[in-house]
Amino acid sequence: MATDYQMRTARPSDLEPLDELYAVNMRPHVQRLGMWDASIFRDSFVPEQIQVLEVDGRMAGMLKVVEDEASVYIAEIQVAPGYQGQGIGTDLLRRIQRRAVGSGKGVWLKVLRGNPARGLYERAGFRVFEETSFHYKMSWHGVPAGGSDSMGQS
């Protein structure tokens, strides 16, 4: 069972802590590939597109999902190191999958080569459909096991 968390839409004041979270989680993987750019998150930050995850009022992660008429793209799923391994990522994926099933859409994402999050995605039923020199593009089409139908936004 996942640690209880709440979700809310990001605010402009979330930029600094979310940028730090992104750097802590992503810098090691991106640097290994020789392409770290400290401004990448900051330059693309649009608060209305990001859900902040909170546990007991503390920032525990973020989620950015982009949906079009054909698919659901998980653009960002970041769980803070102190909250990893507590089922939050799995729960988020199941919620997204259930919502996609309800709308008849597939789900896809990109994960950097060497990022251990790939294992989480594979356990959730995602499969690689394309490889680039930096990423694995993964997709899911099916019925998730367990979880809630709602994205739980508040």
Side-chain angles (χ1 to χ4, degrees), residues 117-135:
R118 179 179 172 185
L120 167 67
Y121 304 139
E122 288 174 337
R123 288 190 300 278
F126 284 80
R127 298 295 172 252
V128 173
F129 71 89
E130 184 179 331
E131 295 182 30
T132 71
S133 53
F134 300 111
H135 295 97

Side-chain angles (χ1 to χ4, degrees), residues 15-150:
L15 175 59
E16 292 300 324
L18 289 175
D19 187 45
E20 182 177 330
L21 170 64
Y22 182 84
V24 165
N25 280 357
M26 298 304 295
R27 182 182 290 137
H29 307 296
V30 178
Q31 277 182 331
R32 182 179 30 75
L33 298 171
M35 34 181 257
W36 178 250
D37 176 355
S39 66
I40 194 163
F41 179 81
R42 187 174 292 278
D43 290 349
S44 65
F45 181 69
V46 178
E48 302 79 30
Q49 297 177 346
I50 297 173
Q51 293 295 306
V52 173
L53 286 65
E54 294 181 332
V55 174
D56 297 327
R58 290 185 302 238
M59 190 174 290
M62 69 173 150
L63 175 69
K64 179 178 178 181
V65 175
V66 178
E67 192 168 345
D68 64 23
E69 62 281 342
S71 67
V72 177
Y73 170 53
I74 303 173
E76 287 292 339
I77 183 168
Q78 301 285 338
V79 177
Y83 296 97
Q84 292 174 7
Q86 297 180 28
I88 294 172
T90 298
D91 187 65
L92 286 170
L93 291 172
R94 286 182 177 156
R95 288 174 182 228
I96 294 165
Q97 289 169 324
R98 287 194 172 282
R99 195 163 133 202
V101 165
S103 62
K105 298 177 181 181
V107 182
W108 72 282
L109 55 83
K110 295 187 295 188
V111 61
L112 285 169
R113 289 179 172 273
N115 186 333
R118 179 179 172 185
L120 167 67
Y121 304 139
E122 288 174 337
R123 288 190 300 278
F126 284 80
R127 298 295 172 252
V128 173
F129 71 89
E130 184 179 331
E131 295 182 30
T132 71
S133 53
F134 300 111
H135 295 97
Y136 294 106
K137 292 183 180 180
M138 303 180 77
S139 65
W140 174 88
H141 302 273
V143 178
S148 166
D149 300 21
S150 157

Side-chain angles (χ1 to χ4, degrees), residues 3-9 11 13-14 17-18 52-61 80 83 88 154:
T3 295
D4 286 335
Y5 63 92
Q6 295 75 45
M7 293 173 62
R8 65 168 174 81
T9 302
R11 301 181 284 257
S13 60
D14 292 319
L18 289 175
V52 173
L53 286 65
E54 294 181 332
V55 174
D56 297 327
R58 290 185 302 238
M59 190 174 290
Y83 296 97
I88 294 172
S154 55

